[in-house]
Amino acid sequence: AAAAAALLVWKATRPELGPLSVRQEVVAAASGHRADSASVGDTIRISATGGAGAVRETRLYRNTSELVARCPGDAGCKISSDGAELTFTLTVRGSYRTLAIAGPEPVPEPTGALDEDARAAVAAGASVELSGPLEVE
């Protein structure tokens, strides 16, 4: 309920932004500093900004077949006037990708499969943006 309320406030107060974009940043657990690669135990910080429409969502998938985090919805989600930030600790090896969604209407609930969820969002009239893969060792 709190996430839904935050989303409504964010939708009502955010200025129009540029094109939808997504950025992933790894914070190494050992040093606490930004890293170029990722290992189990590191944290990924995902920022999604821009795009048109009042409905926005950020989803993180592992191996394109498992939804592991969602914003809004997860505890690591922060919504602001210029976008959303999702923080997630990487506990399992694999290839991680982020799907950012922006559109005028709600999109279908995720199936857990990246490609299927992206197609469903586009079919619902949303814009989508995918991050590059992040390999976690």
Side-chain angles (χ1 to χ4, degrees):
L7 181 62
L8 288 175
V9 169
W10 176 63
K11 287 191 268 183
T13 60
R14 89 176 165 81
E16 284 305 312
L17 302 171
L20 181 61
S21 67
V22 63
R23 182 175 57 94
Q24 296 179 146
E25 175 185 29
V26 177
V27 179
S31 68
H33 293 97
R34 202 168 76 151
D36 293 330
S37 61
S39 299
V40 169
D42 291 347
T43 298
I44 184 172
R45 190 173 6 210
I46 303 161
S47 300
T49 58
V55 175
R56 304 175 167 286
E57 189 170 346
T58 304
R59 301 174 182 175
L60 179 63
Y61 295 81
R62 185 173 62 88
N63 298 333
T64 71
S65 60
E66 180 185 0
L67 178 65
V68 296
R70 189 175 176 185
C71 182
D74 286 7
C77 175
K78 293 180 185 173
I79 307 256
S80 67
S81 62
D82 60 344
E85 183 176 283
L86 176 62
T87 303
F88 182 79
T89 300
L90 301 161
T91 59
V92 178
R93 291 180 177 173
S95 181
Y96 290 78
R97 290 191 77 181
T98 299
L99 172 64
I101 302 168
E105 302 291 329
V107 297
E109 283 295 308
T111 64
L114 173 63
D115 293 338
E116 188 175 327
D117 291 350
R119 279 192 298 274
V122 169
S127 297
V128 299
E129 185 70 26
L130 287 171
S131 71
L134 173 66
E135 302 302 324
V136 177
E137 299 297 322

